[in-house]
Each structure stands twice: as structure tokens, then as C-alpha cells.
Amino acid sequence: DWFESDWITGLALFSAVAIVAFVWHELRTPHPVVDLRVFRHRALIVGCVYGVAMGIGLYGSVFLFPLFTQQVLRWTSWQSGMAILPSSIATAVTMPIAGRFVWRLGPRPLFAIGVAVFLPALWGMSHWTAQSGWWDLFWPQIGRGVALGMMFSPLSVATLRALPPQDVLQGSGLYNLFRQTGGSLGIAVLATLIDHRGALHHARLAEAVTPFSDAARQRIAQLAGGLQARGLDPSDALAGAYKLIEQTLAAQSAVMAFRDCYLLIFCLFLLLVPMIPLLRRPEAPPLAPVRRAARSEEAATA
């Protein structure tokens, strides 16, 4: 309901006009601050599109994880941090390996492997529940860390190595801008989606908790009976049963909202799979032949 506010509507219109004027000016001036002409290179367009998706996938999944573990599973911040640590280690280990193999295999197969690992990991995250434990969260997080390590280096190489030297600086700036913007956009959208979908799922689940539902009456009677057995009077036991039902509805609606968020990231990467063949194999680093020749000369001398 953002645009029910006149202030937000006015800012949105002003931003739309401003960005059109900015693009028009940058394309006409001989010395632009941001040279948008570098978008004539297909590799940069593909890299920026995937950069936005990578920002959403990285920052979005990292943003969702502590919220899920602390709000739904009731973990402490220390437990949540320790649970996300293995995925960070997996990324740190995988990234230099992918950086070495990208010159032998090319960015396309490595990036495809990363996407192939990331999609099942996101699917596993979408199936987390309020009863999930450490190991239920561990392997999808490891998959996320490995996948992002496999995707980052190949995408950067395929995007920037394909540019002529005079366009590398502008291309690098735009590539990082799109990736950071994707992260900011992803966090904003996912935070809004959690609230909206959580309220929607809560309302739908609450529709089944009525005096006309046999299952609801039986569950409330069961909870109230258990509380009475602990020494509460009938009225307090009934109030406590309703409170427990409300807590269950809140927890389940939160689980379903997080599931929707992970599935949104899953669908985003699934839609971008057809763009993987557009990642071209870059030229070998210019120092590589020199190093090989030096090694050969040293071997011949020895």
C-alpha cells in the first residue's frame, strides 16, 4: 500500500522523470559521469542481469536465515550465527577453486554447476518447518555457500574480461552497482513479502479455527484439559488453550511466509537458467603465456 501515500507517489514520479533525464543526458554528453554506452556489450548486460539475481540470492538468503532461526525456531543470535558460519566457509573455500578452473573450463560450466547446486538448496530451504533442527538447516546452507562460490568468480570473469580495456572501469562500476542494487532490492522486497504473506497465511489459517470446526474444538479441549491437569482453573485453562492456538497459528504462518520468500528466489534463478549459454569463454590472462614460457625456459636450462 505504498502508493496510498501522496508523498511516496510524488517521490516515485519524480524519480521516474529524473532517471529518464539522467539517461538522456549521459547518452548525449561527450564525457559522461556514468558511461551507459558500455551496455552495447552483451556480456555486460548478461552480467548485470545475473548480478541483480546474485545480489538477491546472496543478500536475500543471508537476510532470511537469522530471521527464520530466531523468530520461528527461537534460536539465540549466537546459535544463528554459528549455523550460518559453515555456508560462509564453503563460499570462501569454493571461490578460489572456481577462480582457478574458470580459465580451463570456461565460466559457463562452472556457473551452471553453481546454479544446479543453488536450486536444490533453495528448494530445501523452502521446506524448513518450525520443527527443523541443526542438520535440516546445515546441508541447504552448505549448498548455498558452494553455489555462490561457484557463481561469483565465473560471472565476474565472463562479464569483465569480455570488455575492451577502455570500458573495463565503467563496466566494473556498473556491474558492482547492479549487484549491490539487487541486494538492496531483494532485502526490501523480501522484508515486505514476509509481513504481507505472514498476515495473509495467518488470516487463512485462522478461518479454520472456529466453534464450527470439530478439529479446532477437539484441539482446544485437549489443550485446556492438559492445562487443567497442571492445576489451572477451567477459565484460565481455556484462555491458555486459545493463547497456545494463537502461537501455533503465528508460527505456522511465519513458516509459510518464509517458504514463499525462498520459492521466489528459486523461481528467479530458474527463469534465468536460459541465459547461461550467453556467458562467453574469456581470453586467457595475458601473463599466462609468459609464465608458461618462463617455466619452459627454466626447465630447459635445468
Side-chain angles (χ1 to χ4, degrees), residues 19 22-23 34-41 43-59 152 155 159-160 169-187 268 272 275:
I19 196 169
F22 170 78
V23 172
V34 180
D35 190 2
L36 300 177
R37 299 180 185 90
V38 295
F39 281 116
R40 66 183 182 275
H41 303 291
L44 182 61
I45 297 176
V46 175
C48 287
V49 172
Y50 263 118
V52 172
M54 290 279 289
I56 296 174
L58 171 63
Y59 297 108
F152 260 117
L155 182 62
T159 301
L160 301 179
L169 290 178
Q170 288 286 343
S172 176
L174 288 171
Y175 170 68
N176 287 290
L177 171 65
F178 273 78
R179 190 174 63 186
Q180 297 294 333
T181 302
S184 302
L185 176 65
I187 291 175
L268 174 63
L272 294 179
M275 293 183 62

Side-chain angles (χ1 to χ4, degrees), residues 8 48 50 61 71 107 135 157 170 185 213 235 258 275 286:
I8 297 297
C48 287
Y50 263 118
S61 58
Q71 294 182 5
W135 291 109
V157 169
Q170 288 286 343
L185 176 65
S213 171
S235 60
F258 279 101
M275 293 183 62

Side-chain angles (χ1 to χ4, degrees), residues 194 197-199 201-203 205 248-258:
I194 288 176
R197 299 297 294 180
H201 289 306
H202 187 279
L205 291 174
T248 301
L249 291 178
Q252 293 302 319
S253 60
V255 168
M256 298 171 73
F258 279 101

Side-chain angles (χ1 to χ4, degrees), residues 8-142:
I8 297 297
T9 303
L11 289 178
L13 293 175
F14 179 79
S15 300
V17 174
I19 196 169
V20 171
F22 170 78
V23 172
W24 178 81
H25 178 271
E26 295 300 288
L27 291 177
R28 289 176 58 88
T29 184
H31 303 288
V33 175
V34 180
D35 190 2
L36 300 177
R37 299 180 185 90
V38 295
F39 281 116
R40 66 183 182 275
H41 303 291
R42 186 183 67 177
L44 182 61
I45 297 176
V46 175
C48 287
V49 172
Y50 263 118
V52 172
M54 290 279 289
I56 296 174
L58 171 63
Y59 297 108
S61 58
V62 172
F63 166 74
L64 292 174
F65 184 80
L67 293 181
F68 179 84
T69 54
Q70 296 180 45
Q71 294 182 5
V72 178
L73 302 182
R74 302 299 177 185
W75 289 7
T76 64
S77 57
W78 172 260
Q79 292 173 323
S80 178
M82 292 302 295
I84 204 172
L85 179 62
S87 66
S88 303
I89 295 176
T91 300
V93 171
T94 309
M95 192 175 294
I97 296 175
R100 291 181 63 88
F101 279 94
V102 70
W103 303 110
R104 299 181 182 180
L105 303 177
R108 191 181 305 165
L110 293 176
F111 193 85
I113 292 173
V115 174
V117 174
F118 195 41
L119 289 177
L122 289 170
W123 186 257
M125 295 176 194
S126 69
H127 285 75
W128 288 341
T129 68
Q131 288 74 40
S132 296
W134 171 274
W135 291 109
D136 298 314
L137 276 62
F138 179 80
W139 292 113
Q141 284 295 297
I142 291 294

